[in-house]
Amino acid sequence: DGGITQSPKYLFRKEGQNVTLSCEQNLNHDAMYWYRQDPGQGLRLIYYSQIVNDFQKGDIAEGYSVSREKKESFPLTVTSAQKNPTAFYLCASSTTQGTNEKLFFGSGTQLSVL
Amino acid sequence: GDSVTQMEGPVTLSEEAFLTINCTYTATGYPSLFWYVQYPGEGLQLLLKATKADDKGSNKGFEATYRKETTSFHLEKGSVQVSDSAVYFCALNVNQAGTALIFGKGTTLSVSS
């Protein structure tokens, strides 16, 4: 079945540690996105990528980094510079950027700080 | 800038009650509008969408009409079920290169039997 797979489902980070969240899609979508979800704040865009080897900052990119070396993969690294990383992280993809195409979402990763 | 405003939740209803979740937007140009639903512990799923003024999106008994004159896209359902309990997000896409979906803060719906 086609879809988006995020792993792990739960992740714990120690102080000063970098952690990487995985996102893989087999939908052959060009565009991929990372959103952060906090209670009562909806979804906020961290980074997005329209094409391989290219990505742009979203509204809250500080303390995060991404790469897009392959079309199907868009991993997100939460660095030690992100002082409040506890949140639910959602990865999404779509066929093209800037159109009325819908987003397909993964099932999310809950990141917590030890 | 572009934004979406949803009514504050939680919304608590009895089964078979009528549902309205208000959504208004601010955007340049002619955005596409969406409603997404999120069940506990899961990602978001598209519920319905509308791409131009006066379009009505519908799915699973839910409806929303794109009202350009009032910049609104309110979600309605005539008779809710317990299984409709979820968080509902209104979103817009300004249909310009280099942009992504902009989401409202979400409205939690709880339906009791």
Side-chain angles (χ1 to χ4, degrees):
Chain A
D1 289 338
I4 299 180
T5 302
Q6 289 188 242
S7 61
K9 191 168 180 64
Y10 300 96
L11 186 59
F12 297 91
R13 194 192 88 167
K14 296 179 181 178
E15 290 288 337
Q17 186 182 41
N18 292 353
V19 293
T20 297
L21 284 61
S22 171
C23 178
E24 303 277 332
Q25 54 100 357
N26 61 4
L27 299 167
N28 199 34
H29 286 170
D30 289 311
M32 296 187 74
Y33 314 78
W34 275 105
Y35 286 90
R36 170 177 169 145
Q37 184 177 17
D38 296 278
Q41 295 204 41
L43 276 69
R44 294 182 289 170
L45 183 66
I46 305 173
Y47 270 97
Y48 63 100
S49 167
Q50 301 177 60
I51 197 168
V52 174
N53 293 322
D54 187 47
F55 47 83
Q56 289 79 40
K57 294 182 179 180
D59 300 320
I60 55 165
E62 185 175 352
Y64 300 96
S65 65
V66 293
S67 63
R68 187 85 188 276
E69 297 177 359
K70 299 185 297 182
K71 186 175 185 177
E72 56 271 22
S73 179
F74 191 42
L76 173 74
T77 297
V78 183
T79 74
S80 57
Q82 172 51 245
K83 297 306 179 187
N84 184 24
T86 297
F88 191 56
Y89 291 86
L90 287 163
C91 179
S93 70
S94 66
T95 53
T96 51
Q97 175 65 287
T99 72
N100 59 23
E101 293 298 318
K102 72 176 185 180
L103 293 185
F104 290 77
F105 282 85
S107 56
T109 294
Q110 175 64 51
L111 175 63
S112 302
V113 177
L114 289 176
Chain B
D2 303 317
S3 66
V4 174
T5 302
Q6 290 181 235
M7 63 186 288
E8 296 272 340
V11 174
T12 303
L13 295 173
S14 299
E15 207 164 24
E16 300 183 3
F18 184 85
L19 168 71
T20 300
I21 300 178
N22 290 338
C23 171
T24 57
Y25 67 89
T26 301
T28 54
Y30 303 95
S32 296
L33 301 173
F34 305 80
W35 277 101
Y36 280 81
V37 59
Q38 183 181 34
Y39 299 101
E42 298 183 8
L44 279 67
Q45 305 170 28
L46 179 67
L47 183 58
L48 53 85
K49 71 175 185 180
T51 59
K52 61 183 188 297
D54 299 325
D55 268 2
K56 177 185 283 187
S58 61
N59 186 27
K60 300 180 181 180
F62 291 89
E63 293 183 341
T65 301
Y66 189 142
R67 301 286 188 199
K68 191 171 187 298
E69 63 276 13
T70 54
T71 62
S72 65
F73 193 54
H74 304 322
L75 182 68
E76 297 182 337
K77 186 175 186 182
S79 176
V80 294
Q81 305 300 312
V82 172
S83 58
D84 294 326
S85 299
V87 182
Y88 292 82
F89 292 90
C90 186
L92 70 83
N93 185 317
V94 295
N95 296 328
Q96 294 175 0
T99 63
L101 276 185
I102 297 169
F103 287 87
K105 293 186 176 182
T107 302
T108 299
L109 171 65
S110 178
V111 181
S112 59
S113 58

